[in-house]
């Protein structure tokens, strides 16, 4: 068994989930709605009122260990974003395979009205991604790319 305690299956991310209270065990915390879904819904473990412009760390009631070479990306739910302006402060939150603490999402209310999150509400989703092997190499000079022209942010608006 690898150092992170996860079994290895051919090209699969194995996720071990610890639910932190009985409510979440009964709720079926990490679940997709259909076999076509890429993300697993994550639910709030507490009630929280978010005023417009306010953000808070919402505990998600799980701890995990999952296969090395993968990351978990927390993403906003598009329905909450469209209907209420609810998103994640950091856009996409990354959870590394070595993290063993409770998961949480930093949720923001970009809407115009107060938004109440009830315990058990789906507040975000998680997608697991395989990471490429990356090798960082120190160099004396990075060649300029003449196609960009104007530097950072200069790729145009169209």
């Amino acid at each position: 068994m690898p150092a992170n305690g996860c079994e290895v299956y051919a090209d699969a991310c194995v996720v071990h989930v610890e639910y932190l209270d009985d409510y979440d065990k009964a709720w079926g915390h990490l679940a997709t709605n259909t076999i076509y879904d890429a993300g697993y819904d994550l639910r709030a473990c507490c009630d929280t009122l978010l005023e417009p412009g306010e953000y808070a760390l919402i505990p998600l009631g799980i701890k995990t260990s999952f296969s090395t070479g993968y990351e978990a990306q927390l993403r906003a739910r598009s329905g909450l974003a469209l209907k209420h302006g609810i998103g994640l402060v950091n856009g996409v939150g990354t959870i590394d395979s070595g993290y063993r603490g409770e998961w949480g999402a930093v949720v923001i209310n970009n809407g115009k009205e107060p938004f109440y999150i009830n315990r058990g509400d789906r507040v975000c989703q998680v997608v697991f991604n395989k990471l490429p092997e990356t090798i960082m190499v120190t160099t004396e000079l990075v060649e300029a790319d003449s196609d960009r022209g104007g530097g950072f942010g200069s790729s145009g608006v169209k």
Side-chain angles (χ1 to χ4, degrees), residues 19-149:
Y19 296 98
L20 300 180
D21 63 40
D22 289 336
Y23 176 84
D24 297 315
K25 288 178 189 174
W27 196 259
H29 200 79
L30 269 179
T32 59
N33 291 322
T34 73
I35 61 170
Y36 306 106
D37 294 346
Y40 293 85
D41 292 331
L42 295 167
R43 298 177 183 275
C45 285
C46 64
D47 296 332
T48 305
L49 175 64
L50 290 177
E51 296 291 339
E54 189 176 30
Y55 58 90
L57 177 64
I58 306 300
L60 300 173
I62 62 170
K63 291 181 180 181
T64 64
S65 64
F66 55 90
S67 303
T68 301
Y70 288 83
E71 67 161 334
Q73 287 187 355
L74 297 184
R75 300 178 181 182
R77 298 190 66 240
S78 55
L80 288 179
L82 177 63
K83 295 173 186 170
H84 305 286
I86 303 302
L88 300 181
V89 171
N90 53 345
V92 174
T94 295
I95 298 175
D96 300 309
S97 65
Y99 179 68
R100 295 296 183 269
E102 180 178 5
W103 285 23
V106 185
V107 177
I108 188 166
N109 180 356
N110 291 312
K112 297 177 183 170
E113 301 292 328
F115 185 78
Y116 195 76
I117 297 171
N118 295 292
R119 181 182 165 126
D121 285 352
R122 296 177 296 160
V123 293
C124 63
Q125 58 187 321
V126 62
V127 175
F128 292 91
N129 292 298
K130 187 171 180 68
L131 300 171
E133 183 177 343
T134 305
I135 300 169
M136 301 295 275
V137 178
T138 302
T139 185
E140 294 296 321
L141 179 65
V142 174
E143 293 182 30
D145 182 356
S146 61
D147 293 340
R148 295 279 303 201

